Amino acid sequence: MHTPILVTGGTGTLGRHVVPLLRAAGHPVRVLSRRGGPPGDGVTHVTADLLTGVGLEPALRGVTTVLHLAGGAKGDDRVAANLVHAARRTGVTHLAHVSVTGADRVPLAWLRSKRDAERAVADSGLPWTVLRAAQFHDLVLTMLTAMAKLPVAPVPGGLRLQPVDAAEVAARLVELTLGAPAGLAPDLAGPETLGLDELLTGYLAATGRRRLRLPVRLPGKAGRAYRDGANLARPGATRGVRTWDAFLAERLRRAVGGAPTSPPSRG
Ligand SMILES: NC(=O)c1ccc[n+]([C@@H]2O[C@H](COP(=O)([O-])OP(=O)(O)OC[C@H]3O[C@@H](n4cnc5c(N)ncnc54)[C@H](OP(=O)(O)O)[C@@H]3O)[C@@H](O)[C@H]2O)c1
């Protein structure tokens, strides 16, 4: 009988793909989040707040492998530090974590917090694995949906993305989590590199809309980093298979009565 694998953020966009894959591999799963969720076959839920640390040590009891997915708009560095602190006291032997491509290169506050979260994991003294993933299709859809709601869509020049399917990220994370600790794994990005303007054009065409566009220049060092492609996967990255167009076509087929919707996602 396996000990449960603790999946933080297992109720989120990525976590909802990860949990069934771990179950299919025969592992009991303990999901950690603030709000919890309904138990399922081999899946239990614990509530804890990684930002405050409340509830963490009981959540880690009896766990040797942790897959840390929980994240939000800010504070992911503190979240990781709290998790590491508790994991060091409770016998964790593999701490796997998902981060974002460019976390070490784009000087924006939320990416700095992703970088510091990575560092907390790498400096934990625990055996660790970190996978940096590109933006999930779901997040790109959320961005484009918001842009298309404006009468004039602001389009940052030179911004490119490599949208990747959350299910493919989940499969890779499960493989890494069940394998030996690997340190910093090759990045995982989608099969294409697409300009935000191209993505918007495709989205508007697919949803039968027209919008005026306002080209904008992202300011400062972060703007330059984006124009230089610092947010893109590093050389040697693994590239996913499912394209943005395939994802969008499926979402539009599923959408009922108008604009497609996507679950909230915080990349
Ligand atoms: N979205 C992307 O494009 C993208 C790309 C690359 C990497 N990532 C990374 O992948 C991870 C998962 O992203 P996602 O899109 O699946 O996020 P999501 O859909 O927003 O889900 C976040 C999950 O974390 C939990 N959570 C948030 N704050 C928490 C806290 N303080 N304590 C305990 N649980 C907390 C949430 O549950 P409760 O709200 O109930 O607590 C939820 O289960 C994040 O670390 C993100 O940075 C995302």
Side-chain angles (χ1 to χ4, degrees):
M1 182 64 182
H2 295 293
T3 56
I5 294 179
L6 183 72
V7 180
T8 76
T11 56
T13 304
L14 183 57
R16 287 194 296 269
H17 292 285
V18 160
V19 171
L21 294 176
L22 286 171
R23 286 297 301 131
H27 295 268
V29 178
R30 191 182 294 168
V31 172
L32 182 157
S33 67
R34 288 165 301 185
R35 285 169 291 180
D41 175 34
V43 180
T44 55
H45 284 261
V46 286
T47 53
D49 188 342
L50 284 155
L51 264 176
T52 61
V54 172
L56 256 184
E57 286 202 18
L60 280 157
R61 211 163 281 145
V63 166
T64 54
T65 300
V66 177
L67 174 52
H68 175 42
L69 309 176
K74 55 183 180 179
D76 283 3
D77 48 348
R78 190 142 44 99
V79 157
N82 286 339
L83 178 64
V84 162
H85 182 72
R88 287 173 61 167
R89 294 149 62 107
T90 54
V92 168
T93 56
H94 188 184
L95 175 55
H97 174 48
V98 67
S99 184
V100 183
T101 53
D104 57 336
R105 286 171 291 159
V106 180
L108 272 186
W110 77 272
L111 279 167
R112 286 199 166 123
S113 96
K114 297 305 289 183
R115 178 202 62 190
D116 291 347
E118 289 182 3
R119 284 185 184 163
V121 169
D123 295 344
S124 63
L126 299 169
W128 60 279
T129 301
V130 167
L131 175 68
R132 291 181 184 150
Q135 276 64 47
F136 306 159
H137 289 140
D138 311 76
L139 177 67
V140 175
L141 180 56
T142 302
M143 283 167 56
L144 295 174
T145 305
M147 285 167 80
K149 281 194 177 130
L150 300 169
V152 177
V155 183
L159 176 57
R160 288 165 290 155
L161 298 175
Q162 297 171 312
V164 66
D165 207 72
E168 292 177 2
V169 178
R172 177 70 177 132
L173 277 169
V174 165
E175 182 185 24
L176 288 167
T177 301
L178 299 181
L184 184 61
D187 294 353
L188 175 56
E192 304 157 303
T193 303
L194 300 164
L196 190 58
D197 49 350
E198 279 178 87
L199 287 161
L200 183 63
T201 300
Y203 174 78
L204 292 174
T207 55
R209 292 177 223 194
R210 303 177 75 152
R211 284 290 178 278
L212 290 175
R213 293 164 200 227
L214 179 66
V216 293
R217 186 175 166 81
L218 291 173
K221 286 184 184 165
R224 192 171 325 125
Y226 274 112
R227 284 188 293 280
D228 289 347
N231 60 311
L232 302 177
R234 293 169 299 150
T238 308
R239 304 301 291 258
V241 172
R242 193 171 186 223
T243 62
W244 162 253
D245 282 348
F247 166 85
L248 183 60
E250 193 210 310
R251 278 301 170 96
L252 292 177
R253 267 198 305 278
R254 277 204 270 147
V256 181
T261 55
S262 63
S265 189
R266 295 174 289 230

